[in-house]
Amino acid sequence: MQEPKFNPPYGGVANHVTDPAQHHGYLHMVAWAVEVGSHAEYIKHRCAEAKAAGAPLDTLYERSGPGGVGTGEWVRFSEIDTTGHDTARGFVRIEQYVRELVRYQHAVAQYPKWRRTVPPLQTFTVTITAPITTTVRALDEEDARRKVMAGWAPSPDGTATARLTGPPGSWVATFNGTPSVKEVRR
């Protein structure tokens, strides 16, 4: 199981409020607010206000009165008439967002339980034998072998390091049971 990832159908990182402690269960309000482009801090604030006012959980938003002051009338997802094509399409998107939010929250809740049941990782030493070929400029084959072998630096612990030259730079390969190769640029 991989760490859970939130894959909403719309919105960006600055919009999403996925933590139940921050949205207080107002999933439809989050989906609606993300749909209209609200930022996460505003969404968290509105969800907290809805909770404090005892708004139904399927609330989309609070109606505004004169001067933008809330009226205390909450528009609910379940009460919206979706017979019009455009309205229905918009509300399908909200349903998709809410479903993804529910899926993600469930996955997040299950992840620690799964992590506790996974056996611990073990360490293994794997020896890989591989032919290594490099190209050098030399006077003859013996000179070429000498130049290549001069790059090998054996260590007392049985490991070896090879410095291989060639375009686009110099390569260092370290062999100690766990092969690694990295390029050193000049």
Side-chain angles (χ1 to χ4, degrees):
M1 173 181 227
Q2 294 181 347
E3 189 170 341
K5 185 175 180 189
F6 185 52
N7 298 308
Y10 55 87
V13 173
N15 306 104
H16 306 304
V17 180
T18 58
D19 185 352
Q22 295 175 334
H23 63 60
H24 309 287
Y26 290 94
L27 307 180
H28 292 85
M29 183 177 277
V30 172
W32 174 267
V34 171
E35 173 75 13
V36 298
S38 299
H39 285 274
E41 290 307 312
Y42 175 78
I43 297 169
K44 292 175 200 175
H45 175 72
R46 295 301 295 158
C47 289
E49 286 181 341
K51 179 183 179 189
L57 286 177
D58 73 335
T59 292
L60 295 170
Y61 59 89
E62 181 182 13
R63 289 200 192 278
S64 293
V69 177
T71 62
E73 182 185 355
W74 300 96
V75 177
R76 298 178 64 185
F77 183 80
S78 60
E79 295 175 349
I80 297 290
D81 177 19
T82 57
T83 54
H85 175 71
D86 289 340
T87 304
R89 198 174 89 224
F91 281 82
V92 164
R93 285 172 48 91
I94 289 173
E95 286 176 326
Q96 290 171 336
Y97 192 100
V98 169
R99 275 196 307 274
E100 174 56 18
L101 206 48
V102 168
R103 184 212 58 84
Y104 175 72
Q105 288 176 184
H106 179 73
V108 167
Q110 295 301 312
Y111 187 68
K113 295 173 192 167
W114 175 82
R115 292 282 299 168
R116 285 192 299 271
T117 63
V118 174
L121 296 177
Q122 299 178 32
T123 303
F124 297 93
T125 300
V126 178
T127 303
I128 299 172
T129 305
I132 298 174
T133 305
T134 186
T135 304
V136 295
R137 293 181 49 83
L139 298 172
D140 56 27
E141 189 173 344
E142 184 178 324
D143 185 37
R145 289 181 193 278
R146 189 173 48 253
K147 284 183 178 182
V148 170
M149 294 308 290
W152 285 88
S155 300
D157 65 357
T159 64
T161 300
R163 300 194 186 295
L164 309 174
T165 58
S170 170
W171 292 80
V172 177
T174 303
F175 303 92
N176 61 358
T178 308
S180 66
V181 177
K182 64 180 179 179
E183 182 179 1
V184 178
R185 299 260 186 198
R186 292 180 198 177

